[in-house]
Amino acid sequence: ESELCSTQVWRRPRSGTTATEYRLAGRIRLNLPGFEKFSLDGDYLPEWEENTLVSRRLPKIGETDVWYQIAKYPWPLQNRDYVVMKRSKVFPSPTGDVHVFAARSAPNSLELQPPSGQAMFRVQLYQCRHAAREIGDGSFEFCTVLVDDPGVPLPTFIQNLIVSKVVPSTFANSLKHAKKYIEDKCGDL
């Protein structure tokens, strides 16, 4: 809970993998088109997300944006790198436009080599699906489903820490930066 958001977070293991599925749902008191622009701006990501070391645009695949990203993981785990495809679409609706954002690991991403001399673990299973609907008063409701596979089984206490502290902290930080981003870069969207 914050002045910008009320949200809930859930998690469950993804059977047959070391991945965890996280679900977030709630209400955000920000301009939805501005928030969407902020969410898709991979160049801006390292400026506000402390665990993102690198975010670099790659050539598009069709109409889909592709990003190479390196995320800092806590010791003793190696840093993770991702090759992520991102798309978004707005569906007009009489009850409020629905904004859909999707990101997932790019196929054949093992072919892209990490920067030389850096030990990385390439994340092969990453998915993010986000839907949001404007509800008036400068707010929107949202539901996000995120699947991230660290490649190793994480102990339950670390999973609990991720859900109780890391996800809410990162989400709250993103909202603070999204508000500033919208004010500085989006004008009157």
Side-chain angles (χ1 to χ4, degrees), residues 57-126:
R57 185 184 301 270
L58 298 175
K60 284 187 170 200
I61 298 175
E63 296 295 313
T64 304
D65 289 330
V66 182
W67 292 87
Y68 174 74
Q69 298 172 324
I70 299 174
K72 178 174 61 174
Y73 265 61
W75 183 89
L77 299 173
Q78 288 181 320
N79 289 344
R80 280 14 187 187
D81 69 343
Y82 299 76
V83 179
V84 179
M85 300 169 51
K86 298 180 180 183
R87 292 190 84 162
S88 68
K89 186 169 182 171
V90 177
F91 296 91
S93 168
T95 59
D97 292 349
V98 177
H99 294 241
V100 176
F101 163 81
R104 66 177 178 90
S105 301
N108 304 318
S109 64
L110 287 175
E111 295 170 10
L112 179 72
Q113 296 300 312
S116 67
Q118 294 190 14
M120 299 289 165
F121 176 86
R122 174 67 45 86
V123 174
Q124 290 296 305
L125 176 56
Y126 173 83

